[in-house]
């Protein structure tokens, strides 16, 4: 854990330098050593993970691994724990606290480095909610009520909270607050990002160009197409009531092996990759591909001569080998809540300074509270 501690010291130093420079320094290429992506905007990647329970391998391969790759390529990564989004359904307060630390431990264990990237909790930066309101005033009710995720959740609930309707507006605020050019997400988030792009266009039309139009970064390796292990006609999902339907980052080798052994396939024992007609077997192939960085045809070739039952043992071994070291690191970190809180606190300080810069410009563009933005910014920089 020495690496995290060293990172934290380094990160405190950087926080200080952000705080004492004028706000323009945040965007200075020389200061942050980050190449520009779109005109005056930083090469910044922003994404959020909801703390609604342990992360599953789809979250890891789809979002976390991608974030770490981008960080390692020199992108300016901001990863936050979306606790405000989680509140659209009731969360037990103490479980929420635990879940936030679980996600933080998983992110660090996956390789997010607090010296280079900003890891924080959404609610620690009140500007998210503030920008959400300003964007809500630009959003059309009909458009929000028409989004498939809203319609689906509204259908399943007797009382539909306003938070559910505003969910994608808050998500747009998360991204625009940091003027992110790119957003790593699973395909299920595409519509939310389209709404975000639309809000940017409306904003530009009324007030001038202040944000880049954020581009979604979708996984190319099919990790957002992972199916439930119990019912391959459904997506692997955090909210599925059957815990055997998904593999969690916290699962032990025994649990992983059991879940893969029990995965529903079909009565043909041959291993093929036919996602349409044989989704259960294709899911095993996909898991094998993700665990070993293979293409589906390479995985099928490796399975040559094996029955699906024998192949399950190969897939389970590969997953255990891939996830084991990360799980051990996450457990070690999770046992140090104070360290995790320090990382999150330092991340929030840096995020707040960046958010203040954007809101300063937004206030000026909208003609809000003349002068107050300058004062807030000065306070942030002191
Ligand atoms: N809605 C996202 C999900 O459920 C989480 C999220 C919240 C997010 N805010 C975001 C993702 C901003 C990307 C950008 O997965």
């Amino acid at each position: 854990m020495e690496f995290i501690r060293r990172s934290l010291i380094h990160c405190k130093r950087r926080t200080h330098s952000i705080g004492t420079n004028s706000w323009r320094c945040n965007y200075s290429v020389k200061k942050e050593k980050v190449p520009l992506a779109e005109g005056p905007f930083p090469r910044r990647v922003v994404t959020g993970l909801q703390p609604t329970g342990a992360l599953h391998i789809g979250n890891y391969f789809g979002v976390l691994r991608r974030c770490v790759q981008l960080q390692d390529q020199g992108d300016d990564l901001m990863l936050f724990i979306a606790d405000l989004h989680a509140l659209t359904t009731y969360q037990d307060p103490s479980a929420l606290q635990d879940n936030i630390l679980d996600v933080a431990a998983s992110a660090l264990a996956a390789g997010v480095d607090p010296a280079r990237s900003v890891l924080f909790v959404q609610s620690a930066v009140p500007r998210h909610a503030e920008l959400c309101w300003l964007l809500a005033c630009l959003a059309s009710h009909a458009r929000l009520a028409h989004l498939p995720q809203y319609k689906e959740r509204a259908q399943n609930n007797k009382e539909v909270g306003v938070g559910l309707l505003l969910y994608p507006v808050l998500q747009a605020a998360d991204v625009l607050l940091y003027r992110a050019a790119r957003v790593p997400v699973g395909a299920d988030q595409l519509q939310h990002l389209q709404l975000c792009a639309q809000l940017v266009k409306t904003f530009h039309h009324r007030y001038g160009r202040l944000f880049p139009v954020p581009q979604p970064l979708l996984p190319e390796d099919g990790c957002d197409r992972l199916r439930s292990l119990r019912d391959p006609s459904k997506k692997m999902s955090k909210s599925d009531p059957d815990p055997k339907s998904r593999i969690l980052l916290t699962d032990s080798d025994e649990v992983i092996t059991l879940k893969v052994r029990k995965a529903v396939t079909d009565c043909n024992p041959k291993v093929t990759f036919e996602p349409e007609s044989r989704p259960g077997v294709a899911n095993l192939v996909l898991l094998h591909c993700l665990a070993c960085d293979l293409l589906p045809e390479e995985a099928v070739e490796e399975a040559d001569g094996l029955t699906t039952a024998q192949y399950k043992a190969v897939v389970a071994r590969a997953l255990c080998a891939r996830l084991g070291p990360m799980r051990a690191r996450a457990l070690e970190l999770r046992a140090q809540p104070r360290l995790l809180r320090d990382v999150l606190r330092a991340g929030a300080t840096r995020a707040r300074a960046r958010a203040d810069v954007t809101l300063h410009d937004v206030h000026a563009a909208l003609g809000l509270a003349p002068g107050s933005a300058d004062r807030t910014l000065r306070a942030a920089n002191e």
Side-chain angles (χ1 to χ4, degrees), residues 256-277:
I256 294 175
T257 308
L258 186 78
K259 286 179 177 174
V260 175
R261 182 157 14 104
K262 297 236 164 197
V264 172
T265 50
D266 52 34
C267 24
N268 176 355
K270 205 168 147 45
V271 177
T272 61
F273 186 66
E274 295 164 89
E276 293 297 324
S277 53

Side-chain angles (χ1 to χ4, degrees), residues 46-50 80 82 85 167 171 174-175 183-185 189 192:
V46 169
T47 197
L49 286 167
Q50 284 201 57
F80 63 90
H85 278 100
Y167 185 108
Q171 185 160 344
D174 298 336
V175 172
V183 186
V185 281
Q189 298 297 312
H192 291 164

Side-chain angles (χ1 to χ4, degrees), residues 89 157 190 206 291 294:
T89 49
N157 294 308
L190 210 51
R206 294 194 192 170
L294 297 173

Side-chain angles (χ1 to χ4, degrees), residues 48-67:
L49 286 167
Q50 284 201 57
T52 44
L55 299 179
H56 63 67
I57 48 172
N59 304 126
Y60 168 66
F61 287 111
V63 178
L64 274 177
R65 183 187 53 162
R66 190 71 184 272
C67 286

Side-chain angles (χ1 to χ4, degrees), residues 186-308:
D188 62 329
Q189 298 297 312
L190 210 51
Q191 264 143 341
H192 291 164
L193 284 177
Q194 282 162 354
L195 178 92
C196 178
Q198 200 181 38
L199 289 172
V200 171
K201 287 194 187 119
T202 311
F203 189 99
H204 288 173
H205 182 67
R206 294 194 192 170
Y207 304 110
R209 194 174 137 76
L210 223 56
F211 306 106
V213 178
Q215 305 298 321
L217 290 181
L218 296 176
E220 284 144 17
D221 51 10
C223 57
D224 55 345
R225 291 196 310 263
L226 281 175
R227 317 305 304 174
S228 153
L229 297 176
R230 303 304 302 156
D231 175 0
S233 70
K234 292 199 294 198
K235 254 189 71 151
M236 186 180 287
S237 152
K238 252 196 211 173
S239 49
D240 193 315
D242 186 348
K244 286 209 191 67
S245 67
R246 57 188 168 262
I247 294 168
L248 302 176
L249 294 187
T250 46
D251 282 344
S252 65
D253 286 357
E254 294 71 39
V255 172
I256 294 175
T257 308
L258 186 78
K259 286 179 177 174
V260 175
R261 182 157 14 104
K262 297 236 164 197
V264 172
T265 50
D266 52 34
C267 24
N268 176 355
K270 205 168 147 45
V271 177
T272 61
F273 186 66
E274 295 164 89
E276 293 297 324
S277 53
R278 306 190 64 205
V281 180
N283 207 28
L284 292 177
V285 174
L286 214 49
L287 288 170
H288 189 195
C289 290
L290 291 172
C292 302
D293 298 316
L294 297 173
L295 293 170
E297 47 281 20
E298 293 169 334
V300 170
E301 209 176 291
E302 279 198 23
D304 191 31
L306 299 180
T307 63
T308 45

